[in-house]
């Protein structure tokens, strides 16, 4: 048995994805959602040991809070200070973060390697942090982070410090208000990734880049939003003739596939299954 501990969580596609993968691979497994907030988290994590569960996914508001109840952390989890997957090895609980793996793998699925590439990344929150960390760990040459001066600015500074201390990746942080720097960074990049959520409700008709001339045809434009399937940013990139324009579905699928592999050691069929659903 594996779980998903978050609040609220009734909307989640994860049980459908994982239970179908168990069935398809002939594994005797079950994936269940538990509506758990910070208040019940300690008991819920202890139950993983008590019930001898294989592990659990963890989502908001528990991704940081859960760390204090675990025995070990993966290097990426340590750097992100967040966990979305717990693996139980005979009572020892290890925390992992698979969102960044999902980003890197979803590009690999499209035949794109991030190695030695230059990336401009908008955002420093729950999605952007693992994307930056995993990309740096997996060989991106440079990350130019842009963020607004809101409550996530400190996290953006922390991300820069952590990446500098733990990887060879060159990394910088610039205020998104500096639009000349933002435009220049995108022009110099192989990958532009927007991990801000601008483009989904309530900002569905908004984009951080509205001028197609900022993009060049050979680059990758990636929006972590997956509803709507085609965001305003993606439309601008398509108008610019950008060859590789992606939404966030690939991350959603591949972060799940990475968790599934951590629990079972097996590659599952989530990709085919989820692509059929959307
Ligand atoms: P978050 O609140 O943790 O971070 C949001 C980031 O965007 C912050 O850096 C914030 O400073 C910045 N931001 C907020 N409003 C902005 C604005 N108006 N202009 C510019 N920057 C702004 O959110 P999150 O959890 O990181 O989610 C971000 C997006 O990523 C959402 O669309 C979410 O659905 C998506 N996401 C996708 C996946 C996936 O599997 N595809 C996984 C996680 C998150």
């Amino acid at each position: 048995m594996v779980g998903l501990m978050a609040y609220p969580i009734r909307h989640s596609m994860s049980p459908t994805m994982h239970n179908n993968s168990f069935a398809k691979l002939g594994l005797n497994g079950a994936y269940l959602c538990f509506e758990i907030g910070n208040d019940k988290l300690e008991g819920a994590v202890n139950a993983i040991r008590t019930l001898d569960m294989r592990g659990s996914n963890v989502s908001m508001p528990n991704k940081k809070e859960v760390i204090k109840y675990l025995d070990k952390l993966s290097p990426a989890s340590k750097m992100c200070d967040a966990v979305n997957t717990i693996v139980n090895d005979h009572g020892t609980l290890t925390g992992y973060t698979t969102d960044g793996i999902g980003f890197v793998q979803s590009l690999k699925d499209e035949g794109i390697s991030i190695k030695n590439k230059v990336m401009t990344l908008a955002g420093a929150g729950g999605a952007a942090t693992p994307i930056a960390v995993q990309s740096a760990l997996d060989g991106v040459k440079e990350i130019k982070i842009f963020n607004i001066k809101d409550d996530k600015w400190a996290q953006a500074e922390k991300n820069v410090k952590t990446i500098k201390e733990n990887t060879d990746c060159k990394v910088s942080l610039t205020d998104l208000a500096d639009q000349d720097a933002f435009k220049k960074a995108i022009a110099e990049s192989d990958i532009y990734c927007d991990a801000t959520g601008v483009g989904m409700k309530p900002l569905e008709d908004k984009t951080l880049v509205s001028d197609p001339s900022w993009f060049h045809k050979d680059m990758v434009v990636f929006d972590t939003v997956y509803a709507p399937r085609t965001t305003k940013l993606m439309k601008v990139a398509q108008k610019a003739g950008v060859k590789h324009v992606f939404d966030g579905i690939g991350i959603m699928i591949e972060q799940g596939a990475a968790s599934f592999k951590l629990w079972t050691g097996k590659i599952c069929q989530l990709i085919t299954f989820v692509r059929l659903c959307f």
Side-chain angles (χ1 to χ4, degrees), residues 63 99 122-128 147-148 150-153 176 194-198 200 203 208 223-226 248-249 251-253 255:
K63 283 185 168 185
D99 288 326
N147 211 81
I148 54 175
D150 67 351
D151 59 343
K152 289 289 186 323
W153 184 260
L176 193 59
D194 184 326
T196 64
V198 172
M200 75 172 197
L203 302 172
L208 300 181
D223 198 334
T224 58
V225 171
Y226 50 82
I249 283 291
I251 301 186
M252 194 177 85
I253 296 168
Q255 59 79 28

Side-chain angles (χ1 to χ4, degrees), residues 121-130 132 145-147 150 152-157 159 173 195-196:
L121 174 65
T129 298
I145 299 172
F146 284 80
N147 211 81
D150 67 351
K152 289 289 186 323
W153 184 260
Q155 180 67 46
E157 288 180 322
N159 292 350
L173 171 62
T196 64

Side-chain angles (χ1 to χ4, degrees), residues 17 21 105-106 109-110 249-250 253-254 257 267-278:
M17 286 162 58
S21 299
Q105 184 61 43
S106 72
D109 294 341
E110 303 289 344
I249 283 291
I253 296 168
E254 291 297 357
I267 312 276
C268 63
Q269 304 301 317
L270 291 171
I271 297 178
T272 321
F273 174 71
V274 178
R275 291 237 186 269
L276 286 174
C277 292
F278 280 91

Side-chain angles (χ1 to χ4, degrees), residues 192 194 196-201 203-209 215 221-239 245-249:
Y192 170 63
D194 184 326
T196 64
V198 172
M200 75 172 197
K201 270 186 188 156
L203 302 172
E204 219 165 329
D205 58 343
K206 299 269 186 286
T207 170
L208 300 181
V209 182
F215 295 128
V221 173
F222 199 112
D223 198 334
T224 58
V225 171
Y226 50 82
R229 285 303 304 276
T230 309
T231 59
K232 183 94 185 284
L233 168 70
M234 292 168 70
K235 286 179 190 160
V236 172
Q238 283 159 353
K239 201 169 167 195
V245 182
F246 304 117
D247 67 359
I249 283 291

